[in-house]
Amino acid sequence: QVQLEESGGGLVQTGGSLRLSCAASGRFVGINAMGWYRQAPGKERELVATITFVGVINYADSVKGRFTISRDNAKNTMYLQMNSLKPEDTAVYYCNVHRINTDYWGKGTLVTVSS
């Protein structure tokens, strides 16, 4: 089992920045990848960024050049630095861990970008 807890969401103006954190606990053996997903009102959950066990990173086209995913293995924490935020980035952001054949999710943190 893996437990995940997101933090760092909030209200920010267009062009502003936020940094999300995801604190992980539990069993880490077998983790293939970690990532951030988001779900806007009335829309399906979508991938924002992922990082594999060996450090390969992938971003959604909509956030490339603006968002940066990173992790601190010593702190068991993953981050998402979000710059140049746009109103369309408004969503609940979820932390995800893919371990063996199971996906684990946090409860999400709300990011609201005002125009």
Side-chain angles (χ1 to χ4, degrees), residues 86-99:
K86 305 175 181 180
E88 50 264 44
D89 295 318
T90 294
V92 177
Y93 283 71
Y94 296 92
C95 175
N96 167 271
V97 163
H98 185 75
R99 176 178 177 269

Side-chain angles (χ1 to χ4, degrees), residues 11-70:
L11 174 64
V12 64
Q13 292 184 335
T14 297
S17 298
L18 283 174
R19 188 176 81 154
L20 306 183
S21 299
C22 173
S25 60
R27 297 176 64 87
F28 299 142
V29 173
I31 288 180
N32 307 111
M34 301 179 67
W36 290 95
Y37 292 72
R38 67 186 181 187
Q39 187 166 17
K43 296 187 177 181
E44 294 186 353
R45 191 172 297 187
E46 63 176 4
L47 179 149
V48 176
T50 59
I51 180 168
T52 69
F53 177 77
V54 296
V56 176
I57 291 174
N58 179 52
Y59 293 102
D61 288 343
S62 59
V63 307
K64 282 181 181 177
R66 301 188 297 123
F67 291 11
T68 302
I69 188 172
S70 63

